Amino acid sequence: MPHISLPEGVPGIRSLVLFRPDTGQPLYELAQILLRGESPLSSAERELIATYVSFLNACVFCSCSHAAAARYLYKDEQQTVDLVLEDYQSAPISDKLKALLTIAGRVQKDARTVSTDDVALARSFGATDRDIHDTVLIAATFCMFNRYVDGLATIAPAKDDISAYAQMGERMGSIGYVMPKPVSAAV
C-alpha cells in the first residue's frame, strides 16, 4: 500500500506524476531526453542501462517496466536484456556497452568509485565523452527514480506479470515518456 494517497490502479512513477504533475512533467521530460533524445547510444542501449541500474537497486516496477521497454526496442534480440541481467560480462553485447554498464553499476553503488581506469576501458572500446556522460546521468537519474517509486511504496504489478509489463514496455518503446492522461483515463 502506498505511503500517500495516490490514484488507484496506476502503478509506479505514473501515479506519482499524476499526484504531483508540476514535478512529474520535468521528470518525464528528463526521461524522454535521456532515453529517447539524440544520443550516440541507441534507445535500446539506454533503456538497458536504466534497467540494469533499477535491477541493482531491486526496484521491481522500474526494472520490470524498463526491461520490457528494452525488450521491445531490441526486437528480435530481446533475450539480450535477460542475459545482461544474468551476467552482462558474458551477454551478447558490445565490449563498449559492457564497460558502460560497469560504470553504471559503480554509479549505482557509490558514484565516487567510478575510476579513471573504468573510463579508460570504456574509451578503449570506442566510448565517447557523450557515451560516458549519458551513462552516468542515466544511472544517477534512475537511482533517484527508483528511490522515489520505492520510497513512497507505489503499487506495481507482480514481477512475473509479463503481460502488464509488456504493455508498459510497448508504450514506452513506441511513444516514449509523455505525461499520463488524467486519472480517469490513466492506464
Side-chain angles (χ1 to χ4, degrees):
M1 175 176 302
H3 295 311
I4 62 175
S5 180
L6 295 173
E8 258 187 64
V10 182
I13 200 164
R14 291 180 70 78
S15 66
L16 299 173
V17 168
L18 290 169
F19 176 81
R20 183 113 192 253
D22 60 325
T23 58
Q25 180 70 40
L27 294 176
Y28 266 54
E29 288 171 1
L30 179 59
Q32 181 68 21
I33 291 166
L34 291 177
L35 301 177
R36 295 294 176 279
E38 181 274 320
S39 175
L41 298 170
S42 72
S43 290
E45 291 171 325
R46 290 176 280 159
E47 282 287 355
L48 190 59
I49 293 166
T51 300
Y52 179 67
V53 168
S54 298
F55 176 79
L56 293 176
N57 282 326
C59 181
V60 171
F61 178 78
C62 294
S63 62
C64 290
S65 62
H66 289 281
R71 286 186 196 100
Y72 178 84
L73 293 166
Y74 270 105
K75 300 184 187 314
D76 293 337
E77 298 173 10
Q78 61 182 275
Q79 77 283 358
T80 300
V81 177
D82 299 303
L83 295 171
V84 163
L85 295 179
E86 286 173 25
D87 177 14
Y88 74 93
Q89 289 294 354
S90 64
I93 57 174
S94 69
D95 288 333
K96 176 176 112 174
L97 188 52
K98 289 175 185 177
L100 292 174
L101 287 171
T102 296
I103 291 171
R106 293 203 194 285
V107 170
Q108 178 273 332
K109 186 173 182 177
D110 179 350
R112 296 166 295 188
T113 66
V114 175
S115 70
T116 55
D117 289 343
D118 296 327
V119 172
L121 182 63
R123 287 187 194 289
S124 76
F125 293 122
T128 64
D129 283 351
R130 179 68 186 267
D131 294 326
I132 295 162
H133 172 275
D134 289 1
T135 296
V136 169
L137 185 54
I138 291 166
T141 299
F142 272 83
C143 285
M144 176 187 66
F145 287 168
N146 300 159
R147 285 158 178 78
Y148 185 36
V149 165
D150 286 343
L152 288 169
T154 64
I155 63 164
K159 206 174 184 178
D160 60 357
D161 189 345
I162 295 165
S163 173
Y165 287 111
Q167 289 174 5
M168 288 180 216
E170 183 176 348
R171 184 186 67 244
M172 293 186 307
S174 61
I175 65 169
Y177 299 88
V178 295
M179 284 290 289
K181 296 193 184 329
V183 176
S184 61
V187 179

